[in-house]
Amino acid sequence: MKTEYDAPGQRYRADFPRFGLDPFAERIPDVAEPWSLVVGGAGTEDMVLDAARLAELPRVDQVSDFHCVTTWSHANLRWGGVRFRDLYEAILRPRCPPDVHVRWVLSWAHDGARSCLPLEDALAQDVLLADHLDGEPLSLEHGAPLRLVAPRHYGFKNVKHLRRLELCADLRRYRRVTPLAFMDHPRARVDLEERGALPARLLRMLYRPLIGRTVSKFRRAFDRHRSP
Ligand SMILES: Nc1nc2c(c(=O)[nH]1)N[C@H]1C(S)=C(S)[C@@H](COP(=O)(O)O)O[C@H]1N2
Ligand SMILES: [Mo]
């Protein structure tokens, strides 16, 4: 769990806004129920997991802060779900051929978003597949039906509306969501201020002025979706 004292360059805000890159404001996926999650990669056949299969894994309740790369943070979110680590140990790793060295986990979302995380980072105790937030089923705003929560990584690694997880030896299948290479980072650890491919202080200055208008844009798009 992070606190405002060890999240360099972040400023806490009282609300937890829906947020992302501009094109995603209008992409509000309508995920069919019952939902499923596809897992694959690393030379394995794709496998479809449903809520019942995930429910066989230990449930965890976790309080953590959330840090967007644009410098806003929100404290003390209570996520409910299962650990990626437990999914990996119980289901993913046993299926992997012994000769494949998995180094990356790719996450794909129903709205077209995606991200990569080093397997090593994804196996941390606090990386979850969350289906609850603050005691309620995860809302559409915050990533229903299932989202990745990686509190020690910037928001863009915390993929909402999770559709597919893929284990990979390298990043050949990964495509960043933005054409601007400086906005992506393979790891994006908050402690180390891995904001992107430019100096963190410069990115803070570039991003900070964009927060207000992005929050408004995402809120307006969501309001339109709710009551068209
Ligand atoms: N599927 C999906 N996941 C996403 C995004 C998105 O637009 N689509 N935005 C990312 C970014 S940049 C941030 S800061 C967080 C915001 O999470 P929130 O909308 O629940 O606040 O989600 C991340 N995950
Ligand atoms: Mo973000």
Side-chain angles (χ1 to χ4, degrees):
M1 182 169 72
K2 312 296 317 157
T3 72
E4 44 198 303
Y5 305 106
D6 56 6
Q10 295 298 111
R11 292 179 185 168
Y12 278 74
R13 56 185 292 148
D15 62 342
F16 180 39
R18 180 171 176 258
F19 206 86
L21 283 172
D22 269 14
F24 291 92
E26 316 279 343
R27 297 187 202 162
I28 301 167
D30 185 14
V31 182
E33 288 283 348
W35 56 264
S36 55
L37 173 70
V38 178
V39 297
T44 63
E45 289 282 311
D46 277 0
M47 178 164 92
V48 180
L49 303 177
D50 60 7
R53 186 69 185 88
L54 285 191
E56 291 168 18
L57 300 171
R59 260 206 94 75
V60 293
D61 227 329
Q62 166 177 305
V63 176
S64 46
D65 291 2
F66 190 91
H67 305 291
C68 171
V69 71
T70 63
T71 72
W72 66 264
S73 295
H74 184 76
N76 296 323
L77 290 166
R78 188 158 64 86
W79 302 104
V82 299
R83 290 197 179 90
F84 173 79
R85 185 192 188 96
D86 291 333
L87 172 74
Y88 179 76
E89 298 294 346
I91 301 173
L92 307 183
R93 185 160 73 170
R95 304 172 70 236
C96 284
D99 57 322
V100 178
H101 187 98
V102 174
R103 286 177 201 273
W104 296 93
V105 183
L106 307 191
S107 306
W108 308 88
H110 285 282
D111 62 358
R114 61 246 175 207
S115 80
C116 62
L117 267 183
L119 175 65
E120 182 190 341
D121 292 10
L123 291 176
Q125 285 290 327
D126 56 2
V127 175
L128 308 184
L129 306 179
D131 57 7
H132 276 69
L133 174 58
D134 293 329
E136 304 281 339
L138 194 58
S139 63
L140 186 54
E141 253 172 306
H142 290 301
L146 191 68
R147 86 177 291 171
L148 200 66
V149 171
R152 286 181 283 170
H153 293 76
Y154 287 118
F156 66 93
K157 299 292 184 183
N158 293 238
V159 169
K160 302 192 286 186
H161 320 296
L162 209 52
R163 176 174 67 79
R164 175 180 172 81
L165 288 174
E166 192 170 325
L167 302 178
C168 296
D170 54 50
L171 287 180
R172 266 180 293 186
R173 280 181 43 76
Y174 173 67
R175 299 281 175 273
R176 58 176 185 266
V177 277
T178 162
L180 303 173
F182 74 82
M183 292 179 72
D184 204 5
H185 193 288
R187 225 161 169 190
R189 286 169 296 180
V190 174
D191 293 2
L192 298 174
E193 247 196 295
E194 292 171 335
R195 292 185 194 273
L198 288 173
R201 280 170 189 281
L202 178 59
L203 290 174
R204 288 185 201 174
M205 283 179 359
L206 282 175
Y207 288 154
R208 216 165 249 157
L210 305 175
I211 297 172
R213 55 164 291 280
T214 306
V215 169
S216 306
K217 189 184 173 84
F218 271 69
R219 187 188 300 129
R220 279 197 310 270
F222 197 75
D223 288 346
R224 272 197 301 277
H225 176 83
R226 247 190 314 223
S227 38

